Amino acid sequence: MRVLVTGGAGYIGSHTVLALVAAGHDVVVVDDFSNAKKAVVSRLEELAGRQIPVHAFDLTDAARTDELFATEQIDAVIHFAAFKAVGESVQKPAMYYRNNLDTTLSLVEAMQRHGVTRFVFSSSATVYGEHAPVPYQEDWDRLDSSNPYGQTKVMIERILTDVAAVDEAWRVALLRYFNPVGAHPSGRIGEDPTGTPNNLMPYLSQVAVGRREKLTIFGGDYPTADGTGERDYIHVEDLATGHVAALEHLDTMVTRTRAFNLGTGTGTSVLSLLRAFERAVGRELPYEIGPRRPGDLAVTYADPARAHAELGWRATRTIDDMCADTWRWQSQNPQGYPED
Ligand code: UFG
């Protein structure tokens, strides 16, 4: 298939581009580079061993989005491009709703005009909200989120479901990610957050490389084995093959829209992840226990059974693999990608 990957220069998008090429698909990338560096593209081409067509524009521009579909032959869309910082979304809700909804609507309308009906959406475990029991299962129907970023994921899942409901040709996979970490084993591509990292793994790896003084663990009094929060960390390489599996499953999907958890099914505490990262680095890392972060849940992890049964996919990489690959990327690229 010839697949349009929106946000293909971003963290998960770039790893998925390589997984698509490895599986024999052709890829077209669209990215506005607002949260990605141009250097990603040359590294992707080096790893893929081929040129990758890249369109640099913002998908909120509906006219350019339409033109893209008019000029490129596209069989399916994998939609990653979005704003994704939870805290920023609380401060700037209108900006988040505008961007994440407009980009998706531009895409959907262009797809409708050009007869493209295959869509894989980058959703999040955040849609399970505060009340779903763990492990999270896809048929939980009270989708909700405590922050505007998460609400955009809930809304877009709904929009895509409604769009598919009125056109029998449409097939949509809603992929609900748990906590993506890790990097390509080459050490050439990885996560490169702008500014101070919001998420645990990039923060930890920046402590290890000397860019941050110490890790602050947000809360040591949760009702968990060691008092720190537990999450379902999933290697970005597993996540990438999950996208390929979902894409290849669309044509045989019985329902027009289907949600899939992409996780491992296992929770790991902040302290356990810290210890695993120390093993990867080969030394102890400085940390302190601080107050809880508002909005955080104690424990979240996936029930990954549906993805295994229907997509034939499961995560195979361990926490130690995730830490080793993150550390290879961070130690070889201490400042992330070179500036454009
Ligand atoms: N944590 C720390 N210190 C830090 C950063 C995080 O102790 O500096 C802890 C958090 O409290 C949490 C765990 O590490 O227990 C993981 O936190 P992340 O910020 O890495 O990930 P979250 O689970 O909070 O967020 C992730 C995604 C969001 C998504 C959310 C809910 O990053 O996009 O899951 O599904 F919305």
Side-chain angles (χ1 to χ4, degrees):
M1 271 185 270
R2 197 150 193 272
V3 186
L4 178 67
V5 182
T6 80
Y11 172 45
I12 305 170
S14 58
H15 290 80
T16 302
V17 164
L18 292 180
L20 287 164
V21 170
H25 298 289
D26 284 328
V27 173
V28 178
V29 166
V30 58
D31 201 302
D32 70 354
F33 294 92
S34 61
N35 194 25
K37 303 262 177 62
K38 292 267 163 58
V40 178
V41 176
S42 52
R43 293 192 182 190
L44 281 178
E45 291 182 334
E46 155 201 316
L47 292 165
R50 65 159 83 163
Q51 291 214 310
I52 294 170
V54 176
H55 298 264
F57 69 89
D58 177 346
L59 289 162
T60 59
D61 184 338
R64 283 196 72 174
T65 306
D66 191 76
E67 200 182 305
L68 174 67
F69 281 82
T71 54
E72 293 274 14
Q73 189 246 316
I74 308 284
D75 301 312
V77 174
I78 304 183
H79 181 34
F80 293 102
F83 292 163
K84 63 172 185 179
V86 172
E88 184 184 49
S89 80
V90 175
Q91 298 305 318
K92 300 176 180 173
M95 187 178 95
Y96 267 67
Y97 287 115
R98 166 79 75 189
N99 182 73
N100 290 3
L101 297 179
D102 262 9
T103 50
T104 308
L105 292 168
S106 288
L107 270 175
V108 165
E109 290 185 331
M111 288 170 68
Q112 288 175 323
R113 277 192 291 271
H114 296 275
V116 181
T117 57
R118 298 284 178 269
F119 200 109
V120 176
F121 177 56
S122 171
S123 190
S124 166
T126 192
V127 302
Y128 290 108
E130 292 174 23
H131 303 294
V134 289
Y136 292 155
Q137 292 182 315
E138 291 90 344
D139 53 13
W140 175 257
D141 58 4
R142 286 158 49 201
L143 299 184
D144 191 15
S145 183
S146 60
N147 60 81
Y149 155 76
Q151 285 295 348
T152 70
K153 297 296 181 190
V154 174
M155 289 177 180
I156 294 167
E157 286 202 4
R158 181 59 195 252
I159 290 168
L160 295 172
T161 304
D162 290 347
V163 166
V166 293
D167 186 340
E168 64 182 6
W170 272 66
R171 291 293 181 276
V172 179
L174 308 169
L175 304 185
R176 297 175 179 163
Y177 316 153
F178 284 72
N179 289 64
V181 297
H184 191 268
S186 65
R188 296 292 287 160
I189 60 168
E191 187 170 14
D192 181 19
T194 307
T196 307
N198 298 307
N199 299 117
L200 176 59
M201 187 67 112
Y203 200 98
L204 196 48
S205 65
Q206 290 194 7
V207 171
V209 84
R211 285 173 63 181
R212 313 271 159 206
E213 189 195 336
K214 60 172 178 277
L215 175 73
T216 300
I217 296 182
F218 298 146
D221 58 351
Y222 283 107
T224 59
D226 63 21
T228 67
E230 290 180 13
R231 294 289 181 276
D232 186 343
Y233 298 96
I234 174 169
H235 198 300
V236 67
E237 289 278 283
D238 281 329
L239 202 55
T241 59
H243 286 75
V244 177
L247 177 80
E248 292 176 349
H249 173 69
L250 289 176
D251 277 340
T252 54
M253 216 160 81
V254 181
T255 55
R256 296 183 196 175
T257 305
R258 191 84 169 143
F260 298 97
N261 288 337
L262 297 186
T264 66
T266 305
T268 300
S269 74
V270 178
L271 263 177
S272 301
L273 193 78
L274 169 68
R275 298 303 178 212
F277 206 79
E278 289 176 334
R279 284 197 293 279
V281 176
R283 62 187 148 84
E284 291 191 357
L285 297 170
Y287 76 94
E288 64 180 6
I289 308 265
R292 293 183 181 189
R293 181 170 64 180
D296 274 357
L297 299 174
V299 178
T300 67
Y301 59 96
D303 177 346
R306 180 184 286 183
H308 187 225
E310 298 180 20
L311 304 179
W313 169 92
R314 65 154 50 126
T316 60
R317 284 133 178 117
T318 65
I319 290 284
D320 285 320
D321 296 332
M322 301 177 208
C323 292
D325 289 334
T326 300
W327 181 234
R328 188 177 306 103
W329 152 254
Q330 189 71 69
S331 55
Q332 291 180 11
N333 305 269
Q335 301 299 322
Y337 291 106
E339 292 299 326
D340 296 335

mmCIF file of all heavy atoms in Angstrom, residues 257-288:
data_model
loop_
_atom_site.group_PDB
_atom_site.id
_atom_site.type_symbol
_atom_site.label_atom_id
_atom_site.label_comp_id
_atom_site.label_asym_id
_atom_site.label_seq_id
_atom_site.Cartn_x
_atom_site.Cartn_y
_atom_site.Cartn_z
ATOM 1 N N THR A 257 -15.343 0.455 12.292
ATOM 2 C CA THR A 257 -14.414 1.088 13.231
ATOM 3 C C THR A 257 -14.100 0.083 14.333
ATOM 4 O O THR A 257 -14.998 -0.635 14.802
ATOM 5 C CB THR A 257 -15.069 2.329 13.875
ATOM 6 O OG1 THR A 257 -15.521 3.196 12.833
ATOM 7 C CG2 THR A 257 -14.080 3.088 14.747
ATOM 8 N N ARG A 258 -12.842 0.016 14.730
ATOM 9 C CA ARG A 258 -12.472 -0.910 15.796
ATOM 10 C C ARG A 258 -11.342 -0.287 16.606
ATOM 11 O O ARG A 258 -10.374 0.222 16.032
ATOM 12 C CB ARG A 258 -11.999 -2.224 15.166
ATOM 13 C CG ARG A 258 -11.829 -3.362 16.152
ATOM 14 C CD ARG A 258 -13.138 -4.059 16.394
ATOM 15 N NE ARG A 258 -12.985 -5.314 17.119
ATOM 16 C CZ ARG A 258 -13.849 -5.739 18.039
ATOM 17 N NH1 ARG A 258 -14.916 -5.024 18.358
ATOM 18 N NH2 ARG A 258 -13.656 -6.896 18.633
ATOM 19 N N ALA A 259 -11.466 -0.334 17.934
ATOM 20 C CA ALA A 259 -10.408 0.174 18.819
ATOM 21 C C ALA A 259 -9.512 -0.975 19.261
ATOM 22 O O ALA A 259 -9.993 -2.097 19.479
ATOM 23 C CB ALA A 259 -11.029 0.842 20.041
ATOM 24 N N PHE A 260 -8.218 -0.704 19.361
ATOM 25 C CA PHE A 260 -7.248 -1.701 19.828
ATOM 26 C C PHE A 260 -6.300 -1.063 20.838
ATOM 27 O O PHE A 260 -5.705 -0.016 20.550
ATOM 28 C CB PHE A 260 -6.398 -2.236 18.663
ATOM 29 C CG PHE A 260 -7.188 -2.938 17.606
ATOM 30 C CD1 PHE A 260 -7.587 -2.267 16.447
ATOM 31 C CD2 PHE A 260 -7.541 -4.276 17.751
ATOM 32 C CE1 PHE A 260 -8.323 -2.914 15.465
ATOM 33 C CE2 PHE A 260 -8.275 -4.927 16.770
ATOM 34 C CZ PHE A 260 -8.674 -4.250 15.623
ATOM 35 N N ASN A 261 -6.120 -1.710 21.976
ATOM 36 C CA ASN A 261 -5.077 -1.301 22.906
ATOM 37 C C ASN A 261 -3.733 -1.764 22.378
ATOM 38 O O ASN A 261 -3.574 -2.932 22.004
ATOM 39 C CB ASN A 261 -5.275 -1.987 24.265
ATOM 40 C CG ASN A 261 -6.453 -1.427 25.031
ATOM 41 O OD1 ASN A 261 -6.873 -0.298 24.792
ATOM 42 N ND2 ASN A 261 -6.979 -2.215 25.961
ATOM 43 N N LEU A 262 -2.760 -0.864 22.371
ATOM 44 C CA LEU A 262 -1.384 -1.278 22.085
ATOM 45 C C LEU A 262 -0.567 -1.078 23.366
ATOM 46 O O LEU A 262 -0.131 0.023 23.690
ATOM 47 C CB LEU A 262 -0.791 -0.494 20.909
ATOM 48 C CG LEU A 262 -1.474 -0.684 19.545
ATOM 49 C CD1 LEU A 262 -0.696 0.040 18.441
ATOM 50 C CD2 LEU A 262 -1.641 -2.154 19.168
ATOM 51 N N GLY A 263 -0.442 -2.161 24.107
ATOM 52 C CA GLY A 263 0.320 -2.164 25.357
ATOM 53 C C GLY A 263 0.845 -3.567 25.577
ATOM 54 O O GLY A 263 0.613 -4.465 24.756
ATOM 55 N N THR A 264 1.534 -3.753 26.703
ATOM 56 C CA THR A 264 2.099 -5.083 26.978
ATOM 57 C C THR A 264 1.211 -5.895 27.911
ATOM 58 O O THR A 264 1.341 -7.114 27.982
ATOM 59 C CB THR A 264 3.483 -4.961 27.666
ATOM 60 O OG1 THR A 264 3.286 -4.378 28.964
ATOM 61 C CG2 THR A 264 4.438 -4.097 26.852
ATOM 62 N N GLY A 265 0.378 -5.188 28.688
ATOM 63 C CA GLY A 265 -0.441 -5.870 29.691
ATOM 64 C C GLY A 265 0.216 -5.929 31.059
ATOM 65 O O GLY A 265 -0.312 -6.558 31.971
ATOM 66 N N THR A 266 1.352 -5.253 31.205
ATOM 67 C CA THR A 266 2.078 -5.292 32.482
ATOM 68 C C THR A 266 2.393 -3.878 32.961
ATOM 69 O O THR A 266 2.871 -3.055 32.171
ATOM 70 C CB THR A 266 3.428 -6.036 32.306
ATOM 71 O OG1 THR A 266 3.161 -7.312 31.761
ATOM 72 C CG2 THR A 266 4.158 -6.181 33.630
ATOM 73 N N GLY A 267 2.162 -3.621 34.237
ATOM 74 C CA GLY A 267 2.522 -2.331 34.824
ATOM 75 C C GLY A 267 3.937 -2.374 35.398
ATOM 76 O O GLY A 267 4.353 -3.388 35.955
ATOM 77 N N THR A 268 4.657 -1.272 35.240
ATOM 78 C CA THR A 268 6.013 -1.136 35.810
ATOM 79 C C THR A 268 6.033 0.163 36.607
ATOM 80 O O THR A 268 5.582 1.204 36.114
ATOM 81 C CB THR A 268 7.072 -1.083 34.681
ATOM 82 O OG1 THR A 268 6.991 -2.286 33.927
ATOM 83 C CG2 THR A 268 8.483 -0.927 35.237
ATOM 84 N N SER A 269 6.576 0.123 37.817
ATOM 85 C CA SER A 269 6.585 1.330 38.653
ATOM 86 C C SER A 269 7.706 2.279 38.221
ATOM 87 O O SER A 269 8.659 1.870 37.536
ATOM 88 C CB SER A 269 6.765 0.948 40.119
ATOM 89 O OG SER A 269 8.108 0.555 40.345
ATOM 90 N N VAL A 270 7.569 3.540 38.638
ATOM 91 C CA VAL A 270 8.599 4.533 38.322
ATOM 92 C C VAL A 270 9.952 4.073 38.879
ATOM 93 O O VAL A 270 10.973 4.129 38.180
ATOM 94 C CB VAL A 270 8.234 5.924 38.892
ATOM 95 C CG1 VAL A 270 9.335 6.932 38.588
ATOM 96 C CG2 VAL A 270 6.903 6.416 38.339
ATOM 97 N N LEU A 271 9.950 3.575 40.113
ATOM 98 C CA LEU A 271 11.223 3.123 40.710
ATOM 99 C C LEU A 271 11.815 1.935 39.953
ATOM 100 O O LEU A 271 13.025 1.876 39.748
ATOM 101 C CB LEU A 271 11.004 2.733 42.177
ATOM 102 C CG LEU A 271 11.353 3.789 43.224
ATOM 103 C CD1 LEU A 271 11.004 3.271 44.629
ATOM 104 C CD2 LEU A 271 12.830 4.177 43.167
ATOM 105 N N SER A 272 10.963 1.004 39.514
ATOM 106 C CA SER A 272 11.470 -0.146 38.747
ATOM 107 C C SER A 272 12.063 0.311 37.424
ATOM 108 O O SER A 272 13.086 -0.225 36.974
ATOM 109 C CB SER A 272 10.365 -1.152 38.433
ATOM 110 O OG SER A 272 9.788 -1.618 39.602
ATOM 111 N N LEU A 273 11.409 1.293 36.785
ATOM 112 C CA LEU A 273 11.948 1.787 35.513
ATOM 113 C C LEU A 273 13.289 2.487 35.755
ATOM 114 O O LEU A 273 14.242 2.308 34.985
ATOM 115 C CB LEU A 273 10.957 2.735 34.827
ATOM 116 C CG LEU A 273 11.335 3.011 33.381
ATOM 117 C CD1 LEU A 273 10.962 1.852 32.467
ATOM 118 C CD2 LEU A 273 10.687 4.277 32.856
ATOM 119 N N LEU A 274 13.359 3.254 36.835
ATOM 120 C CA LEU A 274 14.626 3.911 37.188
ATOM 121 C C LEU A 274 15.725 2.862 37.369
ATOM 122 O O LEU A 274 16.836 3.008 36.836
ATOM 123 C CB LEU A 274 14.445 4.735 38.463
ATOM 124 C CG LEU A 274 15.723 5.270 39.114
ATOM 125 C CD1 LEU A 274 16.387 6.328 38.237
ATOM 126 C CD2 LEU A 274 15.430 5.862 40.498
ATOM 127 N N ARG A 275 15.432 1.790 38.101
ATOM 128 C CA ARG A 275 16.442 0.742 38.340
ATOM 129 C C ARG A 275 16.857 0.077 37.031
ATOM 130 O O ARG A 275 18.041 -0.220 36.822
ATOM 131 C CB ARG A 275 15.916 -0.310 39.317
ATOM 132 C CG ARG A 275 15.592 0.236 40.709
ATOM 133 C CD ARG A 275 16.789 0.914 41.359
ATOM 134 N NE ARG A 275 16.461 1.474 42.668
ATOM 135 C CZ ARG A 275 17.002 2.568 43.195
ATOM 136 N NH1 ARG A 275 17.935 3.255 42.517
ATOM 137 N NH2 ARG A 275 16.656 2.998 44.376
ATOM 138 N N ALA A 276 15.900 -0.168 36.155
ATOM 139 C CA ALA A 276 16.225 -0.782 34.856
ATOM 140 C C ALA A 276 17.103 0.155 34.022
ATOM 141 O O ALA A 276 18.047 -0.282 33.357
ATOM 142 C CB ALA A 276 14.939 -1.118 34.097
ATOM 143 N N PHE A 277 16.793 1.442 34.097
ATOM 144 C CA PHE A 277 17.591 2.403 33.329
ATOM 145 C C PHE A 277 19.011 2.485 33.892
ATOM 146 O O PHE A 277 19.985 2.577 33.137
ATOM 147 C CB PHE A 277 16.920 3.786 33.310
ATOM 148 C CG PHE A 277 17.319 4.586 32.107
ATOM 149 C CD1 PHE A 277 16.748 4.350 30.872
ATOM 150 C CD2 PHE A 277 18.310 5.556 32.197
ATOM 151 C CE1 PHE A 277 17.145 5.068 29.748
ATOM 152 C CE2 PHE A 277 18.710 6.280 31.080
ATOM 153 C CZ PHE A 277 18.119 6.033 29.855
ATOM 154 N N GLU A 278 19.117 2.395 35.210
ATOM 155 C CA GLU A 278 20.457 2.381 35.826
ATOM 156 C C GLU A 278 21.262 1.167 35.342
ATOM 157 O O GLU A 278 22.462 1.274 35.097
ATOM 158 C CB GLU A 278 20.338 2.373 37.353
ATOM 159 C CG GLU A 278 19.853 3.714 37.909
ATOM 160 C CD GLU A 278 19.633 3.697 39.417
ATOM 161 O OE1 GLU A 278 19.363 2.605 39.983
ATOM 162 O OE2 GLU A 278 19.715 4.774 40.028
ATOM 163 N N ARG A 279 20.590 0.034 35.182
ATOM 164 C CA ARG A 279 21.292 -1.157 34.653
ATOM 165 C C ARG A 279 21.796 -0.898 33.252
ATOM 166 O O ARG A 279 22.911 -1.272 32.893
ATOM 167 C CB ARG A 279 20.344 -2.370 34.632
ATOM 168 C CG ARG A 279 20.102 -3.008 35.978
ATOM 169 C CD ARG A 279 19.504 -4.412 35.841
ATOM 170 N NE ARG A 279 18.145 -4.441 35.279
ATOM 171 C CZ ARG A 279 17.029 -4.202 35.965
ATOM 172 N NH1 ARG A 279 17.095 -3.931 37.251
ATOM 173 N NH2 ARG A 279 15.843 -4.269 35.369
ATOM 174 N N ALA A 280 20.970 -0.225 32.431
ATOM 175 C CA ALA A 280 21.366 0.053 31.045
ATOM 176 C C ALA A 280 22.560 1.009 30.999
ATOM 177 O O ALA A 280 23.467 0.855 30.175
ATOM 178 C CB ALA A 280 20.179 0.628 30.270
ATOM 179 N N VAL A 281 22.544 1.990 31.897
ATOM 180 C CA VAL A 281 23.587 3.013 31.895
ATOM 181 C C VAL A 281 24.851 2.502 32.605
ATOM 182 O O VAL A 281 25.969 2.914 32.291
ATOM 183 C CB VAL A 281 23.055 4.307 32.569
ATOM 184 C CG1 VAL A 281 24.132 5.373 32.685
ATOM 185 C CG2 VAL A 281 21.864 4.847 31.794
ATOM 186 N N GLY A 282 24.658 1.627 33.605
ATOM 187 C CA GLY A 282 25.796 1.075 34.332
ATOM 188 C C GLY A 282 26.198 1.881 35.547
ATOM 189 O O GLY A 282 27.315 1.742 36.056
ATOM 190 N N ARG A 283 25.326 2.774 36.011
ATOM 191 C CA ARG A 283 25.600 3.510 37.253
ATOM 192 C C ARG A 283 24.290 4.001 37.867
ATOM 193 O O ARG A 283 23.266 4.021 37.172
ATOM 194 C CB ARG A 283 26.538 4.695 37.004
ATOM 195 C CG ARG A 283 26.004 5.727 36.071
ATOM 196 C CD ARG A 283 27.058 6.798 35.721
ATOM 197 N NE ARG A 283 26.844 7.276 34.362
ATOM 198 C CZ ARG A 283 25.979 8.236 34.033
ATOM 199 N NH1 ARG A 283 25.263 8.837 34.954
ATOM 200 N NH2 ARG A 283 25.818 8.604 32.771
ATOM 201 N N GLU A 284 24.383 4.422 39.138
ATOM 202 C CA GLU A 284 23.185 4.941 39.805
ATOM 203 C C GLU A 284 22.878 6.348 39.308
ATOM 204 O O GLU A 284 23.785 7.087 38.912
ATOM 205 C CB GLU A 284 23.402 4.949 41.327
ATOM 206 C CG GLU A 284 23.454 3.540 41.898
ATOM 207 C CD GLU A 284 23.396 3.518 43.417
ATOM 208 O OE1 GLU A 284 23.366 4.595 44.047
ATOM 209 O OE2 GLU A 284 23.370 2.397 43.962
ATOM 210 N N LEU A 285 21.600 6.695 39.343
ATOM 211 C CA LEU A 285 21.175 8.025 38.873
ATOM 212 C C LEU A 285 20.509 8.776 40.025
ATOM 213 O O LEU A 285 19.807 8.170 40.833
ATOM 214 C CB LEU A 285 20.194 7.868 37.699
ATOM 215 C CG LEU A 285 20.796 7.196 36.452
ATOM 216 C CD1 LEU A 285 19.714 6.867 35.432
ATOM 217 C CD2 LEU A 285 21.869 8.080 35.824
ATOM 218 N N PRO A 286 20.733 10.097 40.086
ATOM 219 C CA PRO A 286 20.169 10.871 41.199
ATOM 220 C C PRO A 286 18.656 11.073 41.060
ATOM 221 O O PRO A 286 18.166 11.347 39.970
ATOM 222 C CB PRO A 286 20.897 12.220 41.096
ATOM 223 C CG PRO A 286 21.368 12.308 39.680
ATOM 224 C CD PRO A 286 21.563 10.906 39.186
ATOM 225 N N TYR A 287 17.959 10.908 42.198
ATOM 226 C CA TYR A 287 16.512 11.145 42.177
ATOM 227 C C TYR A 287 16.032 11.579 43.542
ATOM 228 O O TYR A 287 16.741 11.399 44.546
ATOM 229 C CB TYR A 287 15.752 9.892 41.715
ATOM 230 C CG TYR A 287 15.656 8.807 42.757
ATOM 231 C CD1 TYR A 287 14.534 8.717 43.603
ATOM 232 C CD2 TYR A 287 16.669 7.873 42.907
ATOM 233 C CE1 TYR A 287 14.448 7.717 44.562
ATOM 234 C CE2 TYR A 287 16.582 6.876 43.870
ATOM 235 C CZ TYR A 287 15.469 6.805 44.693
ATOM 236 O OH TYR A 287 15.392 5.823 45.655
ATOM 237 N N GLU A 288 14.845 12.165 43.573
ATOM 238 C CA GLU A 288 14.174 12.481 44.833
ATOM 239 C C GLU A 288 12.701 12.132 44.667
ATOM 240 O O GLU A 288 12.195 12.072 43.553
ATOM 241 C CB GLU A 288 14.316 13.978 45.176
ATOM 242 C CG GLU A 288 13.629 14.859 44.152
ATOM 243 C CD GLU A 288 13.730 16.348 44.425
ATOM 244 O OE1 GLU A 288 14.440 16.737 45.359
ATOM 245 O OE2 GLU A 288 13.100 17.117 43.673
#
